[in-house]
Amino acid sequence: MMFTGAVQASPLQTDEATSNPLLEATEIVRPIDDGIYVYGSAPEADQVGAGYLVFEAQGSSVIGAIYMPQSSFDCFQGTVSGNELALQITNSYTQEVYDYDIALVSTEEPIASTEAVEFPLQLEGFFDLGTADESNRELLAICQADLLSPEMEL
């Protein structure tokens, strides 16, 4: 017996009710608690040649300063966007604004969870230096005053 007919393949039908949500790509969002943060490219404060960030987070917005000890500093504002800190840094000399993204990472990853999970804030390539000292708070206050003040029109 011989079959002599062509059969056209049809696309596989999927039922949305039976699709597996674990197989869908999802983005892990790491929330940032409101507060002031200090990070450095060195594990200790005030190391010449190392870069530092001090910023205040409110909701998903951040504002702060990026600096090197015994050097100038630049102010930035930005947001937590997905798994990164998306910053807009204002050059203190030229007033040029440029984008800079820092990945948010965590040493603790849950395998599965049905509830919101708190992650400690970690910035890729930076060490958490704990509480802001007086000089960090002064830089932060300068940047907040500069970036949050209404622009004067001539």
Side-chain angles (χ1 to χ4, degrees), residues 83-85 101-105 122-125:
N83 292 330
E84 67 185 15
L85 200 56
D101 297 330
I102 303 172
L104 301 178
V105 295
Q122 301 232 336
L123 303 179
E124 186 174 303

Side-chain angles (χ1 to χ4, degrees), residues 41-111:
S41 62
E44 298 174 2
D46 298 323
Q47 300 297 307
V48 175
Y52 295 90
L53 297 167
V54 58
F55 61 90
E56 183 170 12
Q58 292 183 339
S60 64
S61 298
V62 296
I63 191 166
I66 186 168
Y67 67 95
M68 295 178 82
Q70 302 175 11
S71 186
S72 65
F73 66 94
D74 294 331
C75 296
F76 65 82
Q77 56 190 350
T79 59
V80 178
S81 178
N83 292 330
E84 67 185 15
L85 200 56
L87 305 178
Q88 295 178 322
I89 301 174
T90 303
N91 182 295
S92 59
Y93 294 110
T94 66
Q95 298 303 304
E96 180 182 358
V97 177
Y98 58 95
D99 294 333
Y100 186 72
D101 297 330
I102 303 172
L104 301 178
V105 295
S106 178
T107 56
E108 301 174 18
E109 291 288 340
I111 293 174

